[in-house]
Amino acid sequence: MASNRRDHLINTALKLFYRDGYHATGIDKILAESGVAKMTLYNHFKSKDELILAALHRRDEEFRNWFMRTVERRGRTPRERLVAIFDAVEDWFNSQECSGCMFINATAEFARYDDPIHATAAEHKRLVFGYIRDLATAAGARNPVELAQGLMLLREGAIVLTHVTGKVDPARQARKAAEVLIHDALD
């Protein structure tokens, strides 16, 4: 039962932090939305920051699993999967759940590199980079790290531009640029 309440708190906080931001979402708003008592919240989390960290960890796990499954489903070979990164990003942009990147938003609101929230968001980006680097290696890139860096830059730029402009076009444009990078790195 306690685990269910903890999960419910994390899921509620995740939704609110993602939609409204970290600083704009107060504990009272989370409690009202979740229907959980303040004592219950503090039995599970010592602070709002601890709840933010739990929400980021949950989002990381869910999003990376979704992202990797989508890329694997859309591309049969490692080379196709490198391109499919941008198809997955466009799928995400077209979903009703897209409110930008929760991790980019976290680094903006918690800007100090040594802040645990910033560090957790940066770790998510490192893990996504590692996945892309591994795909580049499997595809036979001459320099998989360099290719992964370029693809990551295109991916992150598309995420920011889509969030700022509200348009999905950056994903398609990033895909076209990615195809050039992939061709140059593999052929």
Side-chain angles (χ1 to χ4, degrees):
M1 183 68 123
S3 172
N4 288 341
R5 285 196 179 140
R6 184 179 194 283
D7 284 342
H8 181 61
L9 280 166
I10 292 169
N11 290 334
T12 302
L14 192 155
K15 180 182 85 175
L16 294 172
F17 292 145
Y18 187 47
R19 185 187 72 202
D20 301 333
Y22 300 94
H23 294 311
T25 302
I27 291 296
D28 290 338
K29 188 174 191 177
I30 295 166
L31 294 174
E33 182 89 11
S34 68
V36 172
K38 190 178 270 191
M39 180 76 121
T40 302
L41 179 124
Y42 287 111
N43 283 338
H44 294 287
F45 304 99
K46 294 178 183 136
S47 66
K48 180 180 172 184
D49 284 2
E50 196 174 289
L51 180 57
I52 291 170
L53 289 169
L56 285 171
H57 285 291
R58 171 79 45 89
R59 177 66 178 174
D60 169 60
E61 180 182 334
E62 290 174 355
F63 186 83
R64 277 190 310 112
N65 285 332
W66 169 85
F67 179 69
M68 290 186 289
R69 278 192 318 270
T70 302
V71 168
E72 303 291 320
R73 189 180 73 248
R74 286 179 148 268
R76 292 178 15 191
T77 67
R79 182 185 191 125
E80 289 174 357
R81 289 176 179 151
L82 289 169
V83 175
I85 289 166
F86 300 91
D87 298 330
V89 169
E90 186 173 2
D91 288 351
W92 172 44
F93 293 165
N94 283 319
S95 75
Q96 292 178 347
E97 299 149 13
C98 187
S99 294
C101 176
M102 194 167 178
F103 303 98
I104 292 171
N105 297 345
T107 61
E109 289 195 47
F110 298 89
R112 284 189 359 260
Y113 294 112
D114 63 343
D115 187 299
I117 294 168
H118 188 105
T120 298
E123 178 63 14
H124 167 78
K125 297 300 182 180
R126 278 190 292 279
L127 292 168
V128 171
F129 173 80
Y131 173 69
I132 295 171
R133 183 201 57 232
D134 292 348
L135 286 177
T137 300
R142 286 184 295 283
N143 188 335
V145 170
E146 184 177 277
L147 177 57
Q149 288 169 334
L151 296 177
M152 190 74 173
L153 183 63
L154 289 170
R155 179 185 179 274
E156 297 303 307
I159 292 168
V160 171
L161 276 174
T162 297
H163 186 63
V164 170
T165 65
K167 297 181 179 165
V168 180
D169 295 330
R172 285 185 220 118
Q173 293 166 338
R175 186 185 199 276
K176 288 178 186 175
E179 288 172 338
V180 172
L181 283 180
I182 292 164
H183 176 76
D184 290 348
L186 300 181
D187 295 329

